[in-house]
Amino acid sequence: MVLWGLLLGALMVATVAYLCLQELLRQQRPKEPPLDKGSVPWLGHALAFRKNMFEFLKHMRAKHGDIFTVQLGGQYFTFVMDPLSFGPILKDTQRKLDFVEYAENLVLKVFGYRSVPGDYQMIHSASTKHLMGDGLEELNKAMLDSLSLVMLGPTGPSLDASSWREDGLFHFCYNILFKAGYLSLFGYTKDKEQDLLQAEELFVQFRKFDRLFPRFVYSLLGPREWLEVGRLQRLFHKTLSVEHNMEKYGISNWITYMLQYLREQGVAPAMQDKFNFMMLWASQGNTGPTSFWALLFLLKHPEAMRAVREEATQVLGEARLEAKQSFNFKVSALHRMPVLDSVMEETLRLGAAPTLLRVVNDDHSLKMASGQEYLLRSGDILALFPYLSVHMDPDIHSEPTTFKYDRFLTPSGSRKVDFYKAGKKIHHYTMPWGSGVSICPGRFLALSEMKLFVLLMVTHFDLELVDPDTPVPPVDPQRWGFGTTQPSHDVRFRYRLRLWSELCPGGRKPG
Ligand code: HEM
């Protein structure tokens, strides 16, 4: 026993000594960005970073300027904060920056999925084929049907659908978008009632995983939470298994195409199940939270709500929903709604906060817009956090923390694309979808899903905040860097369907 204690002690001393040595060895070389290793060996600034990435990076930028390297858990990250210098990183013409390597390790840890060569390109080509252009039109129709099913039920609205109901707005939006999105992409069985129940149960489990996700990625879970994550992973692998797919119809061409590719590559069915889990996460983790922010901003800004409703009436005519009907309008109308587009772009500016990461594959230099060159070290990670460096830059977006529904509209009412920093036109004036090689391949579907949902809510429902004076809740600080942010608490609201029908006694015409 004593011997074991001594051995363990010696091992710990050796580990600490090794970490301290590594620490001492790493020094800022000439022409490298400012280096900030933090005061804790190996961990560096990991604790402050994980606690609140946004505040941490603001502090580092104030201390070091537009480029700096920080140590986070034994790994060195170089953050570039000047958006006018993003071009060479995102284009990466020298081919020295690697997105795939980092992503492969992450998806293995989080979803259990082991990448096969070429699958990253395959996801992007499947998405170009089926989540854009004609493929997207087809999916949009499927999405409208799914939204009808989820929001109105399998037999259309019931008689009491036009009475007020109360819910948390975040829960309401996430729940509907998740269920409709899941069913549209992963298919139905013959029993719609059962499908809805199963989608509801899956959402409950999805939220459990979602809540643990940030700390799981940072390896901060306690023993019980590790067990819970394992259980959830197994549950998703089973529920989304290719074996279960056999019982389904209406599986999207996107999923079908990707699974066929994996089969042809000889990927085992169990690994295909894990791939499905990864796709569920990518496709459903952000649309609900973004729709929440969009509806909340509209509820807090009556002039924006009025503008969206007026545009909808102009384009679609008066919204009518007879009892037992499903939502019915031409999805192509979504292309003629610049006000709604601007609301969504503004919502994503305020709500989407991804981190873009690239592994530096070889020592090389990065030329900043100022003309200054910095050496990047092989093995380090180059990181961008556009929420802070672009979305919140007052030079690019005046009063950046304020929601302005028409920020992305020109005076003539078309889409505004001209934004400037230091007098120079800026290409990346928002980056909710990432950019370059890792740009979100589902962005067009995501936008039309969310626009459809918001449109249905503002045209077919009366909705109001339970407490109109409730402030917009702050962002949960754990969620910085992981796509769309989530609120630190939910906001109560009430809603009722505007039914225009003889089936509804005393039925009101929409007004
Ligand atoms: C508001 C909704 C969404 C937001 C804000 C969003 C954002 C993002 C971002 C920032 C990335 C790239 C991260 C990086 O650089 O590593 C990404 C990747 C991805 N997104 Fe989205 N996304 C959304 C919805 C969707 C939807 C609806 C789908 C599919 C139907 C989708 C599919 C994917 C996939 C497959 C990837 C990984 C691509 C790869 O491996 O290169 N996303 N998303």
Side-chain angles (χ1 to χ4, degrees), residues 176-190:
I176 290 181
L177 265 294
F178 175 89
K179 291 192 289 194
Y182 161 66
L183 291 169
S184 303
L185 292 176
F186 290 87
Y188 292 88
T189 66
K190 294 232 151 47

Side-chain angles (χ1 to χ4, degrees), residues 286 290 293 344-355 385-388 391-392 430-434 475 479-485:
N286 292 298
T290 308
W293 290 117
M344 295 315 296
E345 211 163 344
E346 176 69 337
T347 300
L348 286 162
R349 183 187 70 81
L350 287 164
T355 323
F385 184 52
Y387 179 83
L388 174 58
H391 298 196
M392 286 296 124
T430 63
M431 296 171 67
W433 316 104
V475 166
R479 313 285 322 190
W480 294 120
F482 293 103
T484 301
T485 56

